[in-house]
Amino acid sequence: MNCRDLTYTNRDDWNAIGRWLEQRKDPDTKVDGVVRDILADVRERGDEALAEYTRKFDCPDFDAAALRVPQAAIAAALSEIPNDDVEILKEAIHRVRDFHLNQKEKSWWVTAEDGTILGQMVRPVDRVGLYVPGGQGGETPLISSLIMNAIPAQVAGVGSIAVTSPPRKDGTLNPYILATAALLELDEIFLTGSAWAIAALAFGTETIAPCDVLAGPGNIFVATAKSQLIGQVGIDMVAGPSEIVILADDTATPAWLAADMLSQAEHDPLAASILVTPNAGLAAKVREELNTQCAALPRCDIACKSLDDWGAIVTVPDIETGAELVNLLAPEHLELAVGDPWALLGSIRHAGAIFMGHNSPEPVGDYFAGPNHVLPTLRTVRFSSALSVQNFCKKSSVIAASPSYVAEHGAKIARLARLEGLEAHARSVEQRNK
């Protein structure tokens, strides 16, 4: 495992680090044409196309009649998993829901003295489609993705939610996905995956009604399908590979830091795990721990490849310079593994989720704490945010002008319209003052 050793002393060192990390987001365009054809095919042939793709890639005996999971099967899944796991899922759902309830926005109104009313009306979208990857042939179900995507839509007030996930070879879904859906009171579950599932959610088929907003992670085919649909439906985000930056001082525990870096490295060979510290001794101990711990992981090959290509231990002169580098890295996940993280928090401008102190490892946020784990990657956190209730809402401006308002301001409005060469605009207002 050859995790990079880097040094950052000031902004002059950023160019080399930035150029290295830029290579993670080289666009993979080789599937663009394939995905475009899939979208067109599903739009044209609907359920028949979904069944063909599913037979070819997931379940050899699949039939279009099996697309929708029966309600009884969803309910029955709760008895197919251990009661202790059901209770854990219930608690995670409760915590995530409680957090997102704080994100709800209200419509608002302002009334002027002349009787004019201005405001903003907040409304949920009508229908949302959620994609849940099957995970290694359905054996590692991404139940946390279902929780994190469904709950903000529900809190927003979305009345209709469809979930798609690829079936296993025997035509079933992992019971953990179905049990989680049951606990979330979701009853539209469809057995279809990849780009054809995204097409079905966007355009609709005979069985699946079209959706207004799509959310959920997936492979390159899913991500490409979502990116090609931008402007036709709402998209949560087109996320890249996962990443973590840890800013640590001499109060940190090397074994914990290594474990936290590996928690991201095991995701994907393109995942980035970066430690930033002013303590050279700590850096050396973390490197030793990475080698020891990585060798014992089931996904050792993935984690080692990730650390070889996109792992780094960066030495900085002091914690303040480390915070400067953090803002340039603009990471998806940031751990402040320092003695007083609250004193440092004000220095952080760009991070998707910030984990405070030595007892807040990133997996706490992935599964249980409450904040959403769907986060911007590849430095897009500089201008975007975590998935939230707002992703499933839209806002309408409301203008109710009074007669006195038009009388007082009509001439000004008409003048502005004429400056732009829009005579009909001007006359529209002037008609009210005749």
Side-chain angles (χ1 to χ4, degrees), residues 355-386:
F355 298 83
M356 306 287 285
H358 302 306
N359 293 300
S360 302
E362 186 274 337
V364 170
D366 265 354
Y367 297 105
F368 208 72
N372 208 286
H373 78 192
V374 181
L375 300 165
T377 61
L378 299 173
R379 301 189 71 232
T380 59
V381 73
R382 293 173 296 120
F383 52 82
S384 53
S385 306

Side-chain angles (χ1 to χ4, degrees), residues 234-309:
I235 298 295
D236 55 346
M237 63 184 76
V238 181
S242 188
E243 58 206 26
I244 188 170
V245 171
I246 305 173
L247 181 57
D249 64 13
D250 55 10
T251 66
T253 303
W256 294 7
L257 300 179
D260 295 355
M261 292 176 72
L262 288 165
S263 74
Q264 294 306 296
E266 73 171 351
H267 268 300
D268 185 325
L270 286 172
S273 302
I274 298 174
L275 172 66
V276 179
T277 181
N279 188 318
L282 179 70
K285 292 177 182 177
V286 170
R287 180 176 289 280
E288 292 176 8
E289 285 287 343
L290 284 172
N291 283 306
T292 301
Q293 294 185 32
C294 188
L297 288 175
R299 297 167 69 96
C300 174
D301 290 348
I302 294 173
C304 284
K305 175 66 173 170
S306 167
L307 290 172
D308 283 348
D309 292 346

Side-chain angles (χ1 to χ4, degrees), residues 144-320:
S144 62
S145 291
L146 180 54
I147 292 170
M148 291 293 180
N149 284 279
I151 286 177
Q154 290 177 327
V155 171
V158 176
S160 178
I161 299 176
V163 177
T164 66
S165 190
R168 297 184 288 191
K169 283 189 175 181
D170 64 358
T172 66
L173 276 186
N174 188 294
Y176 278 90
I177 293 179
L178 294 178
T180 303
L183 293 173
L184 290 165
E185 299 183 354
L186 298 170
D187 60 8
E188 279 194 69
I189 316 295
F190 300 97
L191 298 170
T192 187
S194 196
W196 43 97
I198 299 302
L201 293 172
F203 304 133
T205 69
E206 297 90 332
T207 300
I208 304 174
C211 301
D212 304 301
V213 172
L214 310 185
N219 61 18
I220 184 63
F221 289 90
V222 170
T224 301
K226 289 167 69 177
S227 67
Q228 291 185 6
L229 289 166
I230 290 173
Q232 300 180 64
V233 292
I235 298 295
D236 55 346
M237 63 184 76
V238 181
S242 188
E243 58 206 26
I244 188 170
V245 171
I246 305 173
L247 181 57
D249 64 13
D250 55 10
T251 66
T253 303
W256 294 7
L257 300 179
D260 295 355
M261 292 176 72
L262 288 165
S263 74
Q264 294 306 296
E266 73 171 351
H267 268 300
D268 185 325
L270 286 172
S273 302
I274 298 174
L275 172 66
V276 179
T277 181
N279 188 318
L282 179 70
K285 292 177 182 177
V286 170
R287 180 176 289 280
E288 292 176 8
E289 285 287 343
L290 284 172
N291 283 306
T292 301
Q293 294 185 32
C294 188
L297 288 175
R299 297 167 69 96
C300 174
D301 290 348
I302 294 173
C304 284
K305 175 66 173 170
S306 167
L307 290 172
D308 283 348
D309 292 346
W310 307 111
I313 297 175
V314 187
T315 305
V316 292
D318 48 56
I319 284 293
E320 291 73 25

Side-chain angles (χ1 to χ4, degrees), residues 351-431:
I354 304 171
F355 298 83
M356 306 287 285
H358 302 306
N359 293 300
S360 302
E362 186 274 337
V364 170
D366 265 354
Y367 297 105
F368 208 72
N372 208 286
H373 78 192
V374 181
L375 300 165
T377 61
L378 299 173
R379 301 189 71 232
T380 59
V381 73
R382 293 173 296 120
F383 52 82
S384 53
S385 306
L387 187 74
S388 71
V389 171
Q390 283 70 43
N391 286 88
F392 303 101
C393 291
K394 52 194 178 62
K395 300 170 184 177
S396 300
S397 300
V398 178
I399 303 105
S402 65
S404 58
Y405 179 96
V406 177
E408 180 179 357
H409 303 295
K412 305 169 197 172
I413 296 167
R415 174 59 180 160
L416 292 173
R418 289 192 172 103
L419 286 172
E420 294 189 349
L422 299 172
E423 182 63 23
H425 279 61
R427 294 185 186 187
S428 170
V429 177
E430 290 172 340
Q431 282 288 333

